[in-house]
Amino acid sequence: MNALATSSAVLAVVLAGAALGAILRRVLPPTHMSEDSKDVVKLGIGVIATLAALVLGLLIASAKGSFDTKSEEIKESAARIIVLDRTLRQYGPETVPIRETLRSAVLSKVNLHWVEGTGMPDAEALGNATSEVSSIERMQQMLWMLAPTSELQRALRARAVQLSAELSQMRWMLLEQKGSSIALPFVVVLVFWLAVIFGSFGLFAPPNATVYSVIFICALSVSSAIFLILELDRPFDGLLMIPDAPLRSAIGELSR
């Protein structure tokens, strides 16, 4: 889901609900606008507003948790890359080709293109993924081809193999998490509830510029919350994209 387009649609639907409420205010019989009727409607809208607040809070918590998890995984990957490079450096000069392969693989990941894939055809994205997997597998094969001559080198090779396996696993985990973690029915039901709530605003609010301005600001605030939720749910592109600073820091360490 495109965050800006979806939030704009939410704004339009919510304002349409308020407009429908204002129209109903003019056409309903006076008995339907009695104080007793208003009390019952307000109680029902209160229930819907509570449900909408719970779902909105759930979506925000889910999106923020997903964003933080992926951000931490990027940082952990960068840390493992640095540790792997230092491990290979301690092993000896024969690991220089492996370190070059590692550096090339990390350079291709800057700007998070390794998990982004936005606007990229499926075949091209699969080709890039296969190429990066080949780089990782080639590095792992080079590690297994090392011939340690001491206990220290055997321990360092085992540690390097473990780190490379963890990097490969984490990369595939990020690729699997690239999709949305927010179910579309949640958003649809939430928008319907919001439209009903704003319809009650238009139904009971006096028709003046101040009231209409407040309703518009409230609708804009709600649609902005939906926008932030959708942006947090897509951390590898958009305005709230996870920074690639950890990977750039890792490249700096690899270049030493």
Side-chain angles (χ1 to χ4, degrees):
M1 290 183 291
N2 182 276
L4 183 58
T6 303
S7 59
S8 299
V10 171
L11 177 62
V13 171
V14 170
L15 290 177
L20 179 60
I23 294 173
L24 290 176
R25 177 187 178 88
R26 297 191 183 97
V27 301
L28 286 176
T31 54
H32 290 202
M33 300 299 293
S34 65
E35 291 301 323
D36 291 338
S37 298
K38 288 182 179 179
D39 290 340
V40 174
V41 172
K42 288 178 180 178
L43 286 174
I45 294 301
V47 174
I48 296 177
T50 302
L51 292 174
L54 289 174
V55 173
L56 189 61
L58 176 64
L59 290 177
I60 292 175
S62 175
K64 186 62 168 62
S66 176
F67 183 92
D68 290 340
T69 298
K70 294 171 184 176
S71 179
E72 287 301 319
E73 288 174 351
I74 294 293
K75 294 177 182 177
E76 290 178 9
S77 295
R80 285 188 172 92
I81 289 169
I82 295 174
V83 174
L84 175 57
D85 179 71
R86 291 184 177 275
T87 301
L88 295 174
R89 190 181 306 178
Q90 293 176 12
Y91 185 94
E94 54 266 52
T95 60
V96 171
I98 306 177
R99 293 176 58 202
E100 288 297 326
T101 302
L102 175 62
R103 185 174 183 276
S104 299
V106 177
L107 282 173
S108 68
K109 298 174 184 179
V110 176
N111 297 320
L112 301 178
H113 291 307
W114 56 324
V115 287
E116 186 179 274
T118 302
M120 183 183 297
D122 292 341
E124 186 178 350
L126 180 60
N128 287 353
T130 304
S131 176
E132 289 166 13
V133 170
S134 298
S135 298
I136 296 175
E137 291 179 349
R138 183 168 63 254
M139 182 180 67
Q140 291 175 325
Q141 291 173 357
M142 295 170 70
L143 286 172
W144 283 113
M145 291 174 62
L146 290 174
T149 58
S150 65
E151 288 297 327
L152 176 60
Q153 286 188 337
R154 276 189 283 271
L156 290 172
R157 188 186 70 167
R159 177 58 174 159
V161 169
Q162 178 186 358
L163 288 169
S164 65
E166 292 173 354
L167 284 173
S168 179
Q169 178 182 358
M170 186 162 291
R171 181 188 174 281
W172 279 114
M173 186 181 301
L174 286 169
L175 284 172
E176 291 297 326
Q177 295 173 351
K178 192 174 61 173
S180 176
S181 63
I182 296 177
L184 181 60
F186 272 90
V187 179
V188 173
V189 172
L190 176 61
V191 173
F192 172 74
W193 288 343
L194 292 173
V196 172
I197 294 170
F198 277 79
S200 70
F201 293 167
L203 183 63
F204 297 123
N208 58 66
T210 300
V211 170
Y212 291 153
S213 298
V214 170
I215 290 177
F216 177 78
I217 292 173
C218 292
L220 185 62
S221 300
V222 170
S223 61
S224 298
I226 299 295
F227 175 79
L228 290 176
I229 290 172
L230 296 178
E231 280 291 311
L232 287 171
D233 192 49
R234 301 171 57 201
F236 300 117
D237 58 0
L239 295 177
L240 299 180
M241 180 178 175
I242 294 176
D244 61 357
L247 292 178
R248 294 187 179 277
S249 176
I251 291 174
E253 291 292 331
L254 298 181
S255 300
R256 292 185 177 181

